[in-house]
Amino acid sequence: MKISPKMKKVLNDQVTLEASASSSYLAMASWCEVTGYQGSANYFYMQSDEERTHMLKIVHYLNDMGAVASISAIKAPVSSYKSLEGLIKTALKNEQTVTKAIHTMVDIAQKEKDHSTYAFLEWFVNEQVQEETKFETVLQKFDLIGRDKLAINEIDKILAMDAAAPADTVA
Ligand SMILES: [Fe+2]
Ligand SMILES: [Fe+2]
């Protein structure tokens, strides 16, 4: 094994965290779909897939390093929301939790002079900046456009456009 037991543990915990994020966004997408927010549903189905790719990146990294990924059970996600804005606030909080976990891993990699893991984590550090900005931008729309039915419909359309845009152009 090329990484420390401590690094192995936090990376495996991150596999679980990314899986939880994927499951949480899937539940959000489903809630949006049944509530009539089709654009937001498409957006969160896509987010859910993205989190799964994050999880897989870490699984492959652990296995490549000879550390063997362990796949754990995850808790059932929250499946009901009061509003689209509340749902997006929860999504932002999720991302902030993930950012903290990634920064903790970077700290450990630095301390252990684990250059491979440090380099591997750089992608995640950048990704989290984008992820947080993405949800902050959506939340800002509620202040800019409003919270009545027509405004929410507009915001749903904006999310639909984001979902339809190629991944690298989504802010
Ligand atoms: Fe992620
Ligand atoms: Fe994320």
Side-chain angles (χ1 to χ4, degrees):
M1 191 166 79
K2 299 167 199 155
I3 58 173
S4 74
K6 188 176 183 181
M7 201 70 236
K8 178 184 170 174
K9 179 175 187 312
V10 290
L11 282 165
N12 268 318
D13 288 348
Q14 193 63 29
V15 169
T16 311
L17 203 54
E18 300 289 348
S20 300
S22 178
S23 160
S24 170
Y25 292 155
L26 178 60
M28 287 179 183
S30 180
W31 180 86
C32 288
E33 193 164 49
V34 296
T35 310
Y37 302 140
Q38 195 53 52
S40 309
N42 292 345
Y43 181 86
F44 278 100
Y45 279 125
M46 199 184 73
Q47 288 300 315
S48 175
D49 286 346
E50 263 187 34
E51 298 302 346
R52 185 178 154 75
T53 65
H54 298 170
M55 179 196 73
L56 288 174
K57 264 182 205 281
I58 306 166
V59 166
H60 295 318
Y61 180 74
L62 278 160
N63 291 340
D64 288 349
M65 297 304 271
V68 186
S70 65
I71 311 303
S72 308
I74 51 167
K75 277 189 209 153
V78 176
S79 58
S80 167
Y81 291 90
K82 280 195 184 125
S83 66
L84 184 61
E85 187 179 10
L87 178 151
I88 292 165
K89 278 185 180 162
T90 304
L92 176 60
K93 256 193 216 158
N94 283 353
E95 291 301 335
Q96 288 164 342
T97 303
V98 169
T99 302
K100 260 190 204 161
I102 286 167
H103 289 180
T104 301
M105 288 195 291
V106 172
D107 288 345
I108 295 169
Q110 264 175 335
K111 250 188 217 160
E112 294 185 351
K113 295 191 174 26
D114 177 348
H115 301 299
S116 312
T117 306
Y118 183 82
F120 169 72
L121 290 172
E122 198 184 345
W123 182 88
F124 285 88
V125 172
N126 294 328
E127 173 70 11
Q128 282 314 115
V129 175
Q130 282 186 29
E131 296 268 82
E132 287 194 24
T133 306
K134 197 155 69 179
F135 290 124
E136 280 164 1
T137 306
V138 180
L139 279 179
Q140 207 179 25
K141 303 275 182 236
F142 290 92
D143 289 331
L144 294 171
I145 305 173
R147 290 173 176 82
D148 58 27
K149 286 181 182 173
L150 276 176
I152 293 172
N153 195 47
E154 261 323 293
I155 294 168
D156 189 53
K157 277 190 206 158
I158 293 169
L159 287 172
M161 282 192 296
D162 280 355
D168 57 355
T169 63
V170 176

